Structure formats: structure tokens, C-alpha cells
Amino acid sequence: MSRDFVISYAGAAGWLSGLDSAEAQEQVHDWARLGLASHLGMATAQLRDATYDTLPVRDAGFAGLAQQDIGPGRYLYDGDGVLHILVQRGDPHQARTIGLMLDQYRADAGTDAPQVQVHHYQIDPATDTIDITADPVEPTSQVRAANGYVTMPVGTADELTRFLARTSYLSRLELRGSDLWANGWDWHTGQDARMNMADVSALQRGYTDAQNVGGQLPGFSLDPQRVTTVADLLAVIPGLSQDMANRIINSDWAGSPFRSATDLEQNVVNQALFGGVPAATLSQYGLPTDRTQLWALDRQLLGGSAYSQARYDGELAGTEVGMTLFYTDYVAKNWVAGTGTGIPSESATGFAPTTTAPTVWSECDANSGSTGETGRLWFGENDSAVRSDAKGISIGAEPTRLYAREDGPKGSEVEPSYSFGRALLWWDQHYQAVADYDPEYQRLDQIMRWSDVIDWLVSKTSATLPQLPDNQMPSNLTFSDWYHRHHEFRERSPIDFVSPPGAALNIGDGLTSYGESIAHLPSKTFMDCGVRAIEGGVSLANSSVREGNVNYHPDLPASVSRAGTYSRASAFDDGNGTGDIKQVSLDDSSKVTSFLERRFSTDNGTDIVDVTGSGRRVAPFGGLKVWRASTAPRTLQLRISARQGEISEQVGLQGQDLGGLEVRNNVGVVTIQWRSGLLDRIPGGPRIGPEQALGATRGRAVGRDRRSADRRSPVRVADP
């Protein structure tokens, strides 16, 4: 195959040394896009429109300030009617990569580009080069069809059934007059990951009834439960003696070997979790010897939850959809904590649970103390992958996100610390890799897609999808039986179901129902900063509730438009390149929890993007972590200029010069070179000097080096 052109990134390869291998590969994928922009001769305004929300270099410190793509695909709109899609040569999912890039562009811009050109690239790390070859420019509709795009009416039960049988990814639902049409992709996926008529009907029933009679929209949660009766405590911890159960519930320690619950927890139970107390001693005190029961007892003595109970919202109890939500929520919490038999291997996927990638002491949050950190994770709707109008709704590349929040002061929630959130952040950024590993997460993604379109249908239109009657939708499943039957699942470890009398079952009774209860599984012991307790669930599409009657979709030019929720004051002037676009995140109570604001200006042929983002308590950069006030905003600046194949992108962080990427087109060879700024010229690679350089407040910058790794952290157990 002949080469169209070659990109040499040798002049920027030094930046890669500060990244892990997976992130370094993603960085080279980014540079392939910039090299293509140079080869195409894009002008400043065109490049600004295409890349203002990304950065030319990667670092963990940019999290939340830039949209850095993950995976083998990238897209670049040239401003002249052609969407350029980059696909890595040898991609085993080439059709999917192309299709998802097409879908994300449509979700961002609001419509397809007229034409598409696919570019195949191959990276040669030995020579620091990228070989790029282009396919012919073709109409977008032709490229979609060639990669498995399907468009069908779905106005009747038979039509919807045929569409579901033929497609594995929902892409768009639209009204053509009064008729409903669906668009999707016919890609290979496990049959169990596909949706069926009963699944769609169960979702639509939940959304329709929630609107008509009130109540929760469809979703799922494993609610933590604190035991308050002796009967419940003995049901959850059967190895506990009646006498000890009475003392714990009634706080009656008279005549006991222990002065209080704290005395029992600190001097016996906690030590027993790490093998420090003989089984005979535990039995003598009337305590369990089973480690799972010891963990439940430890949480109870500390005032926490001894078990969790399934809660199904939106009439999902007993349905196949409800079972998938239970599985994906339960397994995610366990895998992050390092428990279970199906944990993805780091070599195959890049995922590393907390127990195998402990935090060096220099990166532990000093404020967490010995009690550790608590918070929640949950799967939810990704606003940046969904766009709707009066005629239809389009779904982008990744409509499912894994969110994480850490418990803050006075009942608040804050951005997670580095040690609490790193495994969750990886999962969020690499959701497709996990879905390829475990098809149940692929199925969760399809459930999220259908919940997106049904939420839009019910809240914004008078149309409905065909609906099965209730008696044709299985609603009597229990998770214990369902899990036992599915031997093909990645996770097959036994689940410790418990039956406390206070946890009444009412499967299928009302919009919100409660199902089985499970004991928390402790992880293996490991060296780390502290205990991490994680709660959460699965929230399906609920943008109609979160947005309410407020318009979070201002009318921006298609060139700078992106999917998501934005302040209605956002505006951009195509004529002079100035404007202010403020993206906001909304919680379930419609409160703005974070923001990302970009101000656009120009300076003698250079376009400037000033970025301000919500504060984070821990701001990593290069080899350091900087603790800052959680309310202190983070800022960066991107200066863009492009002319006749010469591109310059300069980056400033917290008012300091980080450096710049210079790209040059030299007749068949595009060169990329990194110019180091003040922050990147400190010995040891890209990192921070004095804490004032990044505006650190009430904190310190601590180096990440071999010496810090040798300092022993407390041994802890994580609770999924």
C-alpha cells in the first residue's frame, strides 16, 4: 500500500517519557490528527473550531480541562464539508471505530458532514513515525452504509422486533411526520448483549409511569443498610453469638471483656481481618471466624453499613434489564476494590484495581487520616454524547459514563482524591475496553442508549414505541437465580446473599421495589493510604428531569458546537472568532455541580482559548501531586495559529508557560516538535516547581520518586 505522507514525531518524543505506555500511545494518536491538519493545510479558524476543546499534549493534570480522546479513532472536520476520520491500521473493530466517530460528530455538530474521508495510519515506535494513507472522499451516507448502518421504521411491534434483531448499537431515533424511524449499526456482538422487545418495553413502562403518576425514573442501586435489630444482625453475621449481638445493638458492655464497640473493633475485629487473632480467640469472644462476616461486623462497629439491599426504580424489579443493572453495579464495585474472580488483567486491558496499584505515600491525602475515604460510584448518562431536537435524538460514541464523588465536609460531595478515584477514572475513560471484555457492560451501554431515546420520546413528544403488555414482560426474576444460570459471565465468584428480616422483599410492587440483600466482600490486604468504601448504582437517562425547563443547549455555530449541557449565555461570533462557551454538569436535583468555561479571543493572527474549570482538591501534573483548596479554579490557555501547513499550539497552565507543539508540512513529511516552557524545563521531565507556579493553596507539592515508594503506607482493606 503506497504512503500518502509520513509524520515524524521524534522532536516531541521526549514528552512521551512522562506518560505511561497506554497514555503515550493515545498521545501519538492525537499527534496523528494534528499531523493530518498540517497536511490538509488547515487555517487558524478551522483548526481552532476542530481542536479548541483538546490539547496538543497529555497529562493527568489536564483532567476536566480538556477532552482527550481514547481509542484508535480520531476525527477532524476541515471546515470545507469533509469529515476526516483516522483509523489505526489493523484495528479489529474498524467498522465500529468509523461508525462511532461518525455518530459523535453528528452529536457534536447536530448533523452529518456532507462527505467523509477515512485515513489509515500505522505507528512505528522504532523510528517515531506515523504512516498515513487515505481512502477516497465519499458521501457520508455511503460510508455509513459500507460500515453496517441500518435505517428502519419502528412504528409497530413487528418492525421494532426486526430492528432489534438486526442491530447491536442504537444510533438515532427520529420522527418522520408521525412515523418513528430508528437508525443503528449491525456490528458483531454477543447475542446476550442485544436488546429485545421486552427490554425496551420495560424501560418505556418505567418512563411513562414515572411521568404519569410520579416517582423515580428507571435505575438501580445497592443501598447500604445499617443494622438496628438483633435479629437483623444475626441474619447478616450468623457467626456472632446471641450475647454479643445483644451487646452490640444495645451498647451494653457491662461484664464484657470490652469497654465499648470501639474497643472491640480496634483491638480484636480489625486485627482479625489481617490474620492477627487466632480463630479460637474469636470463638471464645462469640465472634465469627469467616472473613466476610468479620468485615460486616467491623463496618457495623464503626457505624457503617453491614450489608446492602438492591433497590429497583422505574418498575425494573424482576426484569432482565434490572438484572443487568444489578450485575454491572455489583461487579464494578468489586473489581475496583480488587475482589472477584473475573477482574480484567492489566496486561490485556490496562485496568488495575486498587489492591494491585497501591498509592505511594507521597500521593495520599493527608486529610483522610486513618479512617480512609468514602464516596460513591455510579453509571450514568453522558451528556456529551447525546443531542436532541424536536425531530429526533442522536447518540454519540460513549453514552455511558462511570461517575465518582468522594464524601466531603457537612454532607457535601467533592471531586475524588487521586488515590480514591484513579481506578474509577480509568474505567470511565476506557469503558469500551471493559465492554469488550465483559458483554454485560456492552448490554448496559445499549440500555443507556434506549433510555436516552425513551426519555426524549416521553418528555418531549407525544409519540411512543410499540409496547408489550405487562404479562408478556418477565418481571419475576431474582438476581440470585439469574446469576447462577449465566455461566458465561466473566464474574463467577459466589455472592454472599443474606436475609435480614428488616429487609423486606417487594419485587414488582410499585415504581420502586426492593430485592435481595448481599454482604460486602472485603478485598485482600494491601498497602495503601486508607480504607475506601464505595456506594452508588446505575442512573439511566434523566436529562429531562435534570434540565427541567431550563434551556442548556444554546444556539451555537455548528463549527464550535459540541454535545452536552451549556450555560444559556454561551455565544460565539464566527466572524471575529470571539465568544464564551461555558459547559456545566447537572446533578439529579438540577444543581450545577461543576463547570468548564472557554473564552475565545484573537491576537494578531493567533486564536486564544482561555479555559477555567472547577477546582479539585488534588491536582496532579507530571511527576507531582499538588493539594489545593477544592474551590480554587484551575486555568489554562491554548494559543492556536495555522497557515499553509505550519501549525503552532502553545499551552499555558495556571499562568505559566508549559511549552508548545510546532507542526510543519515538508512535502510528504510532516514534522512535530515540542518546545519546552518554564514548567517543562525543570529537571526530571514535565512537572511543577514551586507550589506557587500552579497556584497551590493551603497545601504542598510532593515529588513522586523511588524514595516515596519505599515509605510504608498503612495496611488496609477496601470495601466495594
Side-chain angles (χ1 to χ4, degrees), residues 127-178:
T127 59
D128 292 333
T129 59
I130 309 169
D131 171 22
I132 298 186
T133 304
D135 289 344
V137 176
E138 297 177 317
T140 300
S141 59
Q142 186 173 322
V143 176
R144 282 189 175 276
N147 288 281
Y149 199 60
V150 175
T151 300
M152 298 174 65
V154 290
T156 68
D158 287 343
E159 289 173 341
L160 179 55
T161 299
R162 285 195 294 270
F163 177 81
L164 292 168
R166 186 173 174 186
T167 60
S168 54
Y169 277 72
L170 178 65
S171 172
R172 178 173 168 80
L173 188 73
E174 59 190 341
L175 280 167
R176 298 183 181 181
S178 60

Side-chain angles (χ1 to χ4, degrees), residues 54 205 220 224 235 286 308 321 362 434 452 459 498 577 635 642 718:
T54 68
R205 177 181 62 185
F220 174 84
S308 291
V321 171
S362 64
V434 178
D452 281 325
S459 64
V498 295
T635 64

Side-chain angles (χ1 to χ4, degrees), residues 68-86:
Q68 303 291 62
D69 294 329
I70 298 292
R74 299 288 187 274
Y75 76 72
L76 179 74
Y77 182 65
D78 64 9
D80 292 322
V82 180
L83 180 68
H84 298 267
I85 295 179
L86 285 150

Side-chain angles (χ1 to χ4, degrees), residues 405-424:
R405 289 291 185 272
E406 188 175 349
D407 293 336
K410 299 180 180 180
S412 65
E413 289 188 325
V414 298
E415 291 284 347
S417 71
Y418 172 77
S419 60
F420 186 87
R422 70 190 186 282
L424 307 178

Side-chain angles (χ1 to χ4, degrees), residues 19-46:
L19 306 175
D20 62 42
S21 59
E23 193 71 355
Q25 187 176 50
E26 298 295 348
Q27 178 68 85
V28 177
H29 295 169
D30 294 344
W31 289 343
R33 176 169 50 194
L34 276 176
L36 177 60
S38 172
H39 179 73
L40 295 173
M42 293 177 67
T44 298
Q46 295 170 323

Side-chain angles (χ1 to χ4, degrees), residues 313-476:
D313 292 325
E315 300 177 273
L316 293 182
T319 67
E320 287 282 355
V321 171
M323 299 302 103
T324 295
L325 301 191
F326 194 140
Y327 175 89
T328 51
D329 181 41
Y330 172 78
V331 169
K333 291 168 184 172
N334 280 280
W335 284 358
V336 166
T339 60
T341 58
I343 301 173
S345 69
E346 185 172 1
S347 60
T349 65
F351 174 71
T354 300
T355 50
T356 61
T359 312
V360 296
W361 187 248
S362 64
E363 294 181 6
C364 292
D365 185 353
N367 295 324
S368 67
S370 61
T371 59
E373 301 166 280
T374 61
R376 64 186 181 114
L377 70 81
W378 74 100
F379 292 100
E381 179 182 23
N382 181 10
D383 291 333
S384 295
V386 182
R387 178 186 287 263
S388 64
D389 55 30
K391 295 183 178 179
I393 178 170
S394 297
I395 312 297
E398 294 185 355
T400 307
R401 282 202 58 188
L402 180 59
Y403 295 89
R405 289 291 185 272
E406 188 175 349
D407 293 336
K410 299 180 180 180
S412 65
E413 289 188 325
V414 298
E415 291 284 347
S417 71
Y418 172 77
S419 60
F420 186 87
R422 70 190 186 282
L424 307 178
L425 177 62
W426 183 94
W427 194 316
D428 178 44
Q429 293 176 335
H430 298 82
Y431 185 90
Q432 187 60 63
V434 178
D436 286 339
Y437 172 77
D438 189 336
E440 278 303 291
Y441 288 96
Q442 189 67 58
R443 179 169 157 80
L444 174 62
D445 187 69
Q446 301 314 305
I447 291 171
M448 190 67 70
R449 289 170 182 269
W450 280 98
S451 74
D452 281 325
V453 303
I454 293 171
D455 183 38
W456 170 78
L457 270 179
V458 172
S459 64
K460 304 298 183 183
T461 80
S462 59
T464 59
L465 290 165
Q467 178 80 21
L468 290 177
D470 286 355
N471 61 9
Q472 293 184 26
M473 286 185 280
S475 298
N476 59 351

Side-chain angles (χ1 to χ4, degrees), residues 263-274 277 282 287 294-295 297-298 301:
D263 181 24
L264 172 60
E265 191 277 330
Q266 291 180 349
N267 294 310
V268 178
V269 177
N270 185 265
Q271 294 183 32
L273 282 168
F274 304 99
V277 179
L282 293 172
L287 302 175
L294 282 170
W295 180 246
L297 178 58
D298 189 72
L301 294 172

Side-chain angles (χ1 to χ4, degrees), residues 664-699:
R664 299 288 183 270
N665 184 15
N666 301 302
V667 190
V669 177
V670 174
T671 59
I672 298 179
Q673 184 168 357
W674 171 252
R675 175 196 61 79
S676 295
L678 172 64
L679 295 182
D680 193 34
R681 287 199 295 268
I682 298 171
R687 54 185 183 173
I688 305 167
E691 63 184 25
Q692 291 81 7
L694 286 186
T697 60
R698 297 191 304 171

